[in-house]
Amino acid sequence: MNARALRGIAVAAAAALLLTACTAPEEPPPRVSTTTGPSGSSQPTAAVSVVAAGLDVPWSVAFHDDIPLVSERDSARILELDESGAAREVAVIDGVQPSGEGGLLGIAVHDDHLYAYFTAANDNRIERFPLSGDAGSLALGGPQTVLDGIPKSGNHNGGRIAFGPDGMLYATAGDAGDGSAAQDLDSLAGKILRLTPEGDIPDDNPFPGSPVYSYGHRNPQGIAWDDSGAMYASEFGQNTWDELNVIEAGGDYGWPEVEGIAGDNRYIDPVQQWNPADASPSGIAVSDGSIFIANLRGERLREVPLDDLDASTEHWVGEYGRLRDVVVAPDGALWVLTNNTDGRGSAGPDDDRILRLGAP
């Protein structure tokens, strides 16, 4: 996919397919997304097609080799998608207690293990499960606790996990409604955490003996890296500013003392900020020289060029509803996960869906 071709405000026509969960979606003719340039003229960019439909509050997408896996927040199901988009239940994660923004949240795959961040009875935790079987017959082994004791809440709950280019596991943890915890290095709340795949604390973490990698976050969400190893994170603000941050080891991002760009040298300012009505940024991905950000309340896919972090372009504004996650698929296409069945959106008959952005 040529992500540079996505510049401008996308006015892609919605692919309306009446589909149900666990039923292969009938593949529509590819629709061509367009961008509107400064002259107002439209030009074809990338095809938008439906990968899967009828999902129930999906939250995260990860790949085991070429096999897509999806987490559903409230059902606690891990789904495997086949080539037609039909969903097969791999497992229901035991111990998940969904409430508010909590439930089965981020997933990641590393060395034949599925990692899952979820809300349990008393905390948020990360567990990993051995993956076995082939496409169409994947199975999970018994759980192994990677980290527990992350404060939970119906709001500001974090929940995204990803493996960095250093092979370490990173996790976002919200402040769980206690802003002061974000500045407390003895608390796991309001932090980005860094662990070995087994759950140990890396020797080169910024705070010896602690999984804390950065702090002063309200509700960090998506995390991604560019080819140079620079790390980016999206973050829900309070009432004024949502953020895109460049994450530094040991960095203090200011919450609750500041929100958005403050110009206070005690804290690290975001590189971009947006009104929450236009954003509520969730999952992010880096592809072909840009950061792509899925936005919930803002109902848009935002693109930020890596060579100009002050700039951005908006795509699909209001076209597909709430967008929860964006990931790079094995073939280089972008997959975007809608989230209109989470109680805060207006679900259509084929929601929720995974949309694919690829070459026409």
PDB file of all heavy atoms in Angstrom, residues 14 42 44 48 55 63 77 82 101 113 117 131-132 141 196 214 220 252 266 286 321 323 327 342:
ATOM      1  N   ALA A  14     -18.960   3.890   2.205  1.00  0.00           N
ATOM      2  CA  ALA A  14     -19.008   2.752   3.132  1.00  0.00           C
ATOM      3  C   ALA A  14     -19.375   1.492   2.377  1.00  0.00           C
ATOM      4  O   ALA A  14     -20.250   1.499   1.521  1.00  0.00           O
ATOM      5  CB  ALA A  14     -20.030   3.023   4.228  1.00  0.00           C
ATOM      6  N   SER A  42     -10.661  15.466  -6.579  1.00  0.00           N
ATOM      7  CA  SER A  42     -10.531  14.161  -5.969  1.00  0.00           C
ATOM      8  C   SER A  42      -9.756  13.240  -6.870  1.00  0.00           C
ATOM      9  O   SER A  42      -9.814  13.343  -8.098  1.00  0.00           O
ATOM     10  CB  SER A  42     -11.922  13.566  -5.682  1.00  0.00           C
ATOM     11  OG  SER A  42     -12.609  14.340  -4.735  1.00  0.00           O
ATOM     12  N   PRO A  44      -8.201   8.921  -7.076  1.00  0.00           N
ATOM     13  CA  PRO A  44      -8.244   7.608  -6.431  1.00  0.00           C
ATOM     14  C   PRO A  44      -6.997   7.366  -5.604  1.00  0.00           C
ATOM     15  O   PRO A  44      -5.904   7.800  -5.940  1.00  0.00           O
ATOM     16  CB  PRO A  44      -8.325   6.641  -7.614  1.00  0.00           C
ATOM     17  CG  PRO A  44      -7.751   7.395  -8.766  1.00  0.00           C
ATOM     18  CD  PRO A  44      -8.089   8.825  -8.532  1.00  0.00           C
ATOM     19  N   VAL A  48     -10.819   0.161  -0.361  1.00  0.00           N
ATOM     20  CA  VAL A  48     -11.330  -0.152   0.969  1.00  0.00           C
ATOM     21  C   VAL A  48     -12.235  -1.374   0.825  1.00  0.00           C
ATOM     22  O   VAL A  48     -13.210  -1.343   0.081  1.00  0.00           O
ATOM     23  CB  VAL A  48     -12.132   1.025   1.554  1.00  0.00           C
ATOM     24  CG1 VAL A  48     -12.637   0.677   2.947  1.00  0.00           C
ATOM     25  CG2 VAL A  48     -11.288   2.286   1.586  1.00  0.00           C
ATOM     26  N   LEU A  55     -18.682  -8.526  14.221  1.00  0.00           N
ATOM     27  CA  LEU A  55     -17.907  -8.739  15.440  1.00  0.00           C
ATOM     28  C   LEU A  55     -18.565  -8.011  16.610  1.00  0.00           C
ATOM     29  O   LEU A  55     -19.232  -6.985  16.428  1.00  0.00           O
ATOM     30  CB  LEU A  55     -16.473  -8.246  15.241  1.00  0.00           C
ATOM     31  CG  LEU A  55     -15.705  -8.914  14.090  1.00  0.00           C
ATOM     32  CD1 LEU A  55     -14.381  -8.203  13.848  1.00  0.00           C
ATOM     33  CD2 LEU A  55     -15.479 -10.389  14.371  1.00  0.00           C
ATOM     34  N   PHE A  63      -1.427 -10.863  14.650  1.00  0.00           N
ATOM     35  CA  PHE A  63      -1.218 -11.907  13.657  1.00  0.00           C
ATOM     36  C   PHE A  63      -0.266 -12.967  14.196  1.00  0.00           C
ATOM     37  O   PHE A  63       0.797 -12.649  14.742  1.00  0.00           O
ATOM     38  CB  PHE A  63      -0.649 -11.307  12.368  1.00  0.00           C
ATOM     39  CG  PHE A  63      -1.621 -10.430  11.638  1.00  0.00           C
ATOM     40  CD1 PHE A  63      -1.705  -9.064  11.916  1.00  0.00           C
ATOM     41  CD2 PHE A  63      -2.472 -10.958  10.687  1.00  0.00           C
ATOM     42  CE1 PHE A  63      -2.612  -8.255  11.254  1.00  0.00           C
ATOM     43  CE2 PHE A  63      -3.391 -10.161  10.017  1.00  0.00           C
ATOM     44  CZ  PHE A  63      -3.458  -8.808  10.305  1.00  0.00           C
ATOM     45  N   ARG A  77     -13.704 -13.406  24.092  1.00  0.00           N
ATOM     46  CA  ARG A  77     -13.336 -14.401  23.093  1.00  0.00           C
ATOM     47  C   ARG A  77     -12.090 -13.980  22.310  1.00  0.00           C
ATOM     48  O   ARG A  77     -11.901 -12.797  22.011  1.00  0.00           O
ATOM     49  CB  ARG A  77     -14.474 -14.632  22.104  1.00  0.00           C
ATOM     50  CG  ARG A  77     -15.728 -15.225  22.699  1.00  0.00           C
ATOM     51  CD  ARG A  77     -16.663 -15.734  21.613  1.00  0.00           C
ATOM     52  NE  ARG A  77     -17.034 -14.697  20.647  1.00  0.00           N
ATOM     53  CZ  ARG A  77     -17.653 -14.963  19.493  1.00  0.00           C
ATOM     54  NH1 ARG A  77     -17.949 -16.215  19.161  1.00  0.00           N
ATOM     55  NH2 ARG A  77     -17.990 -13.969  18.677  1.00  0.00           N
ATOM     56  N   ASP A  82     -10.524 -16.749   8.987  1.00  0.00           N
ATOM     57  CA  ASP A  82      -9.979 -17.466   7.832  1.00  0.00           C
ATOM     58  C   ASP A  82      -9.887 -16.512   6.645  1.00  0.00           C
ATOM     59  O   ASP A  82     -10.180 -15.317   6.755  1.00  0.00           O
ATOM     60  CB  ASP A  82     -10.788 -18.727   7.527  1.00  0.00           C
ATOM     61  CG  ASP A  82     -12.206 -18.438   7.021  1.00  0.00           C
ATOM     62  OD1 ASP A  82     -12.490 -17.285   6.626  1.00  0.00           O
ATOM     63  OD2 ASP A  82     -13.027 -19.375   7.021  1.00  0.00           O
ATOM     64  N   GLU A 101     -14.897   0.353  30.464  1.00  0.00           N
ATOM     65  CA  GLU A 101     -13.859   0.212  29.448  1.00  0.00           C
ATOM     66  C   GLU A 101     -12.993  -1.028  29.645  1.00  0.00           C
ATOM     67  O   GLU A 101     -12.066  -1.277  28.877  1.00  0.00           O
ATOM     68  CB  GLU A 101     -12.970   1.458  29.441  1.00  0.00           C
ATOM     69  CG  GLU A 101     -13.718   2.720  29.022  1.00  0.00           C
ATOM     70  CD  GLU A 101     -12.893   3.983  29.194  1.00  0.00           C
ATOM     71  OE1 GLU A 101     -11.709   3.883  29.581  1.00  0.00           O
ATOM     72  OE2 GLU A 101     -13.434   5.080  28.939  1.00  0.00           O
ATOM     73  N   HIS A 113       3.409 -17.556  21.301  1.00  0.00           N
ATOM     74  CA  HIS A 113       2.556 -17.311  22.467  1.00  0.00           C
ATOM     75  C   HIS A 113       1.613 -16.151  22.140  1.00  0.00           C
ATOM     76  O   HIS A 113       2.015 -15.171  21.491  1.00  0.00           O
ATOM     77  CB  HIS A 113       3.365 -16.936  23.706  1.00  0.00           C
ATOM     78  CG  HIS A 113       4.027 -18.101  24.379  1.00  0.00           C
ATOM     79  ND1 HIS A 113       5.191 -18.663  23.901  1.00  0.00           N
ATOM     80  CD2 HIS A 113       3.699 -18.806  25.497  1.00  0.00           C
ATOM     81  CE1 HIS A 113       5.551 -19.662  24.697  1.00  0.00           C
ATOM     82  NE2 HIS A 113       4.659 -19.772  25.675  1.00  0.00           N
ATOM     83  N   TYR A 117      -3.952  -8.678  27.518  1.00  0.00           N
ATOM     84  CA  TYR A 117      -4.150  -7.738  28.627  1.00  0.00           C
ATOM     85  C   TYR A 117      -5.648  -7.728  28.920  1.00  0.00           C
ATOM     86  O   TYR A 117      -6.456  -7.492  28.030  1.00  0.00           O
ATOM     87  CB  TYR A 117      -3.677  -6.349  28.182  1.00  0.00           C
ATOM     88  CG  TYR A 117      -3.690  -5.243  29.216  1.00  0.00           C
ATOM     89  CD1 TYR A 117      -2.515  -4.621  29.601  1.00  0.00           C
ATOM     90  CD2 TYR A 117      -4.870  -4.764  29.765  1.00  0.00           C
ATOM     91  CE1 TYR A 117      -2.510  -3.584  30.527  1.00  0.00           C
ATOM     92  CE2 TYR A 117      -4.881  -3.731  30.686  1.00  0.00           C
ATOM     93  CZ  TYR A 117      -3.691  -3.146  31.059  1.00  0.00           C
ATOM     94  OH  TYR A 117      -3.704  -2.115  31.967  1.00  0.00           O
ATOM     95  N   LEU A 131       0.541 -21.048  21.834  1.00  0.00           N
ATOM     96  CA  LEU A 131      -0.288 -21.235  20.653  1.00  0.00           C
ATOM     97  C   LEU A 131       0.117 -22.523  19.962  1.00  0.00           C
ATOM     98  O   LEU A 131       1.304 -22.781  19.751  1.00  0.00           O
ATOM     99  CB  LEU A 131      -0.098 -20.066  19.679  1.00  0.00           C
ATOM    100  CG  LEU A 131      -0.964 -18.822  19.871  1.00  0.00           C
ATOM    101  CD1 LEU A 131      -0.385 -17.658  19.086  1.00  0.00           C
ATOM    102  CD2 LEU A 131      -2.403 -19.086  19.440  1.00  0.00           C
ATOM    103  N   SER A 132      -0.854 -23.329  19.605  1.00  0.00           N
ATOM    104  CA  SER A 132      -0.568 -24.562  18.879  1.00  0.00           C
ATOM    105  C   SER A 132      -1.583 -24.744  17.768  1.00  0.00           C
ATOM    106  O   SER A 132      -2.655 -24.125  17.777  1.00  0.00           O
ATOM    107  CB  SER A 132      -0.602 -25.767  19.826  1.00  0.00           C
ATOM    108  OG  SER A 132      -1.896 -25.908  20.399  1.00  0.00           O
ATOM    109  N   GLY A 141      -2.840 -22.924  25.011  1.00  0.00           N
ATOM    110  CA  GLY A 141      -2.485 -23.704  26.185  1.00  0.00           C
ATOM    111  C   GLY A 141      -2.849 -22.967  27.456  1.00  0.00           C
ATOM    112  O   GLY A 141      -3.543 -21.938  27.435  1.00  0.00           O
ATOM    113  N   THR A 196      10.297  -8.118  30.038  1.00  0.00           N
ATOM    114  CA  THR A 196      10.756  -9.176  29.154  1.00  0.00           C
ATOM    115  C   THR A 196       9.537 -10.011  28.753  1.00  0.00           C
ATOM    116  O   THR A 196       8.479  -9.941  29.384  1.00  0.00           O
ATOM    117  CB  THR A 196      11.787 -10.082  29.827  1.00  0.00           C
ATOM    118  OG1 THR A 196      11.121 -10.857  30.843  1.00  0.00           O
ATOM    119  CG2 THR A 196      12.921  -9.272  30.458  1.00  0.00           C
ATOM    120  N   SER A 214       7.764   4.886  31.226  1.00  0.00           N
ATOM    121  CA  SER A 214       7.471   6.321  31.242  1.00  0.00           C
ATOM    122  C   SER A 214       6.252   6.532  32.134  1.00  0.00           C
ATOM    123  O   SER A 214       5.495   5.600  32.412  1.00  0.00           O
ATOM    124  CB  SER A 214       7.216   6.864  29.826  1.00  0.00           C
ATOM    125  OG  SER A 214       6.088   6.243  29.236  1.00  0.00           O
ATOM    126  N   PRO A 220      -2.937   6.262  28.399  1.00  0.00           N
ATOM    127  CA  PRO A 220      -2.215   5.969  27.156  1.00  0.00           C
ATOM    128  C   PRO A 220      -2.864   4.797  26.439  1.00  0.00           C
ATOM    129  O   PRO A 220      -3.418   3.896  27.065  1.00  0.00           O
ATOM    130  CB  PRO A 220      -0.808   5.640  27.646  1.00  0.00           C
ATOM    131  CG  PRO A 220      -1.001   5.118  29.041  1.00  0.00           C
ATOM    132  CD  PRO A 220      -2.165   5.890  29.601  1.00  0.00           C
ATOM    133  N   ASP A 252       8.646  11.956  31.901  1.00  0.00           N
ATOM    134  CA  ASP A 252       7.458  12.363  32.645  1.00  0.00           C
ATOM    135  C   ASP A 252       6.606  13.199  31.701  1.00  0.00           C
ATOM    136  O   ASP A 252       7.020  14.273  31.247  1.00  0.00           O
ATOM    137  CB  ASP A 252       7.854  13.171  33.879  1.00  0.00           C
ATOM    138  CG  ASP A 252       6.660  13.606  34.734  1.00  0.00           C
ATOM    139  OD1 ASP A 252       5.508  13.382  34.311  1.00  0.00           O
ATOM    140  OD2 ASP A 252       6.886  14.161  35.823  1.00  0.00           O
ATOM    141  N   ARG A 266       9.635  20.848  32.996  1.00  0.00           N
ATOM    142  CA  ARG A 266       9.633  19.694  33.891  1.00  0.00           C
ATOM    143  C   ARG A 266       9.031  18.459  33.221  1.00  0.00           C
ATOM    144  O   ARG A 266       9.235  17.333  33.684  1.00  0.00           O
ATOM    145  CB  ARG A 266       8.846  20.002  35.172  1.00  0.00           C
ATOM    146  CG  ARG A 266       9.456  21.083  36.052  1.00  0.00           C
ATOM    147  CD  ARG A 266       8.529  21.386  37.213  1.00  0.00           C
ATOM    148  NE  ARG A 266       7.238  21.918  36.752  1.00  0.00           N
ATOM    149  CZ  ARG A 266       6.180  22.106  37.544  1.00  0.00           C
ATOM    150  NH1 ARG A 266       6.246  21.773  38.833  1.00  0.00           N
ATOM    151  NH2 ARG A 266       5.057  22.609  37.059  1.00  0.00           N
ATOM    152  N   VAL A 286       2.530   2.303  12.409  1.00  0.00           N
ATOM    153  CA  VAL A 286       3.455   3.022  11.546  1.00  0.00           C
ATOM    154  C   VAL A 286       3.566   2.265  10.234  1.00  0.00           C
ATOM    155  O   VAL A 286       3.823   1.051  10.222  1.00  0.00           O
ATOM    156  CB  VAL A 286       4.843   3.172  12.204  1.00  0.00           C
ATOM    157  CG1 VAL A 286       5.843   3.765  11.223  1.00  0.00           C
ATOM    158  CG2 VAL A 286       4.747   4.053  13.458  1.00  0.00           C
ATOM    159  N   GLY A 321     -17.845   5.326  11.492  1.00  0.00           N
ATOM    160  CA  GLY A 321     -18.097   5.367  12.921  1.00  0.00           C
ATOM    161  C   GLY A 321     -16.812   5.318  13.727  1.00  0.00           C
ATOM    162  O   GLY A 321     -15.733   5.755  13.277  1.00  0.00           O
ATOM    163  N   LEU A 323     -13.481   4.159  15.469  1.00  0.00           N
ATOM    164  CA  LEU A 323     -12.364   3.318  15.039  1.00  0.00           C
ATOM    165  C   LEU A 323     -11.504   2.998  16.254  1.00  0.00           C
ATOM    166  O   LEU A 323     -10.991   3.899  16.924  1.00  0.00           O
ATOM    167  CB  LEU A 323     -11.535   4.024  13.967  1.00  0.00           C
ATOM    168  CG  LEU A 323     -12.314   4.508  12.732  1.00  0.00           C
ATOM    169  CD1 LEU A 323     -11.365   5.174  11.736  1.00  0.00           C
ATOM    170  CD2 LEU A 323     -13.076   3.369  12.063  1.00  0.00           C
ATOM    171  N   VAL A 327      -3.735  -1.727  12.399  1.00  0.00           N
ATOM    172  CA  VAL A 327      -2.544  -2.567  12.415  1.00  0.00           C
ATOM    173  C   VAL A 327      -2.057  -2.765  10.982  1.00  0.00           C
ATOM    174  O   VAL A 327      -2.831  -2.633  10.024  1.00  0.00           O
ATOM    175  CB  VAL A 327      -2.802  -3.943  13.066  1.00  0.00           C
ATOM    176  CG1 VAL A 327      -3.222  -3.783  14.525  1.00  0.00           C
ATOM    177  CG2 VAL A 327      -3.858  -4.728  12.295  1.00  0.00           C
ATOM    178  N   ASP A 342     -19.821  -0.936  21.075  1.00  0.00           N
ATOM    179  CA  ASP A 342     -19.281  -0.870  22.435  1.00  0.00           C
ATOM    180  C   ASP A 342     -20.154  -0.084  23.399  1.00  0.00           C
ATOM    181  O   ASP A 342     -19.761   0.182  24.529  1.00  0.00           O
ATOM    182  CB  ASP A 342     -17.870  -0.283  22.425  1.00  0.00           C
ATOM    183  CG  ASP A 342     -17.829   1.192  22.055  1.00  0.00           C
ATOM    184  OD1 ASP A 342     -18.859   1.721  21.573  1.00  0.00           O
ATOM    185  OD2 ASP A 342     -16.769   1.821  22.230  1.00  0.00           O
TER     186      ASP A 342
END
